[in-house]
Amino acid sequence: MGTVVEATNQGENGNVTEQKPTVVFVLGGPGSGKGTQCANIVENFGYTHLSAGDLLRAEIKSGSENGTMIQNMIKEGKIVPSEVTIKLLQKAMQESGNDKFLIDGFPRNEENRAAFEEVTKIEPAFVLYFDCPDEEMERRLLNRNQGREDDNIETIRKRFKVFMDSSLPVINYYDAKGKVRKIEAARPINEVFESVKAIFSTKNEKAD
Ligand code: ADP
Ligand code: C5P
Ligand code: MG
């Protein structure tokens, strides 16, 4: 018992065991700048960055038995079953040796959210939400040039719809709990980071 991602503050007998890690969920539409800003946060605030999308793409490359299923879902902009994504996140958290995580692009829907909470018992310290108009995100994705199979106009439109239908409700869920820190993301990278820094420099950074 007591791996970093199953950690509880109290054991069954009520004894204090170990501290839960600090988790910040980083959400926003495709191309809103999550990965870009996470790299800056890592440099300045000592977090480990875990992008769910990056972990899923690495899983495809590794030749895992789930690879073909994941590849097909990403091509269609669909959300991979939580079981798969959460296992990858847990493994990456355990291997990092850190206790502060930026979980980027997760939870993407209600199933992701509820399953993560159920499996890990971790509540995010807060949710960083990059708010960006579709036209700007579309421009960025079409210029991203990372050879991604989902950065084409047809898949991009599907991803925007999935974001509206499935991901925004998760942001609204956390907003109702007072956990959302919204950032205007359609500004130059350094200006966006000034707003991000202000959030990580205050008491917001603390768990709870
Ligand atoms: P996400 O992880 O949210 O999908 P990325 O961080 O990969 O987004 O950014 C998408 C693309 O837009 C990348 O090519 C990145 O360099 C660029 N980009 C990120 N932030 C900005 C910004 N504030 N202004 C202009 N381009 C940006
Ligand atoms: O966040 P990113 O843009 O890298 O995600 C790319 C794709 O990975 C998503 O469109 C989706 O198909 C898949 N994904 C997922 N579940 C997540 C995060 C990403 O299925 N929680
Ligand atoms: Mg990204």
Side-chain angles (χ1 to χ4, degrees), residues 18-31:
E18 58 185 282
Q19 218 39 48
K20 286 186 201 176
T22 299
V23 163
V24 174
F25 288 144
V26 182
L27 300 178

Side-chain angles (χ1 to χ4, degrees), residues 34-35 51 54 57 104 144 148:
K34 301 182 293 297
S51 154
D54 287 351
R57 284 183 287 274
D104 156 5
R144 181 152 58 179
R148 280 178 50 165

Side-chain angles (χ1 to χ4, degrees), residues 186-206:
R187 294 178 292 151
I189 292 173
N190 59 334
E191 279 185 31
V192 175
F193 189 55
E194 286 304 312
S195 303
V196 169
K197 255 201 293 202
I199 288 168
F200 279 85
S201 304
T202 67
K203 62 180 168 45
N204 281 317
E205 209 216 331
K206 260 182 36 193

Side-chain angles (χ1 to χ4, degrees), residues 125-201:
F126 60 93
V127 174
L128 196 59
Y129 167 41
F130 291 106
D131 189 19
C132 195
D134 284 4
E135 311 82 68
E136 173 66 14
M137 295 195 290
E138 185 178 305
R139 231 187 332 269
R140 292 181 188 177
L141 293 173
L142 291 173
N143 284 316
R144 181 152 58 179
N145 256 331
Q146 288 177 357
R148 280 178 50 165
E149 286 192 84
D150 56 348
D151 281 350
N152 59 78
I153 192 63
E154 198 187 328
T155 310
I156 287 169
R157 298 244 156 94
K158 290 180 182 166
R159 289 157 71 199
F160 285 174
K161 181 162 168 44
V162 169
F163 178 73
M164 288 289 288
D165 294 348
S166 303
S167 309
L168 268 181
V170 174
I171 293 163
N172 291 336
Y173 169 90
Y174 285 116
D175 198 28
K177 297 180 128 198
K179 292 214 163 193
V180 172
R181 310 289 177 262
K182 181 166 134 178
I183 306 273
E184 296 304 331
R187 294 178 292 151
I189 292 173
N190 59 334
E191 279 185 31
V192 175
F193 189 55
E194 286 304 312
S195 303
V196 169
K197 255 201 293 202
I199 288 168
F200 279 85
S201 304

Side-chain angles (χ1 to χ4, degrees), residues 39-82:
N40 288 334
I41 300 165
V42 165
E43 269 188 31
N44 288 266
F45 297 98
Y47 279 76
T48 293
H49 172 213
L50 301 177
S51 154
D54 287 351
L55 290 169
L56 290 166
R57 284 183 287 274
E59 188 68 359
I60 298 172
K61 278 207 186 127
S62 78
S64 107
E65 57 177 331
N66 283 323
T68 310
M69 177 274 288
I70 297 170
Q71 188 167 25
N72 289 334
M73 298 205 74
I74 287 181
K75 248 190 233 160
E76 288 302 313
K78 291 184 178 156
I79 297 167
V80 172
S82 303

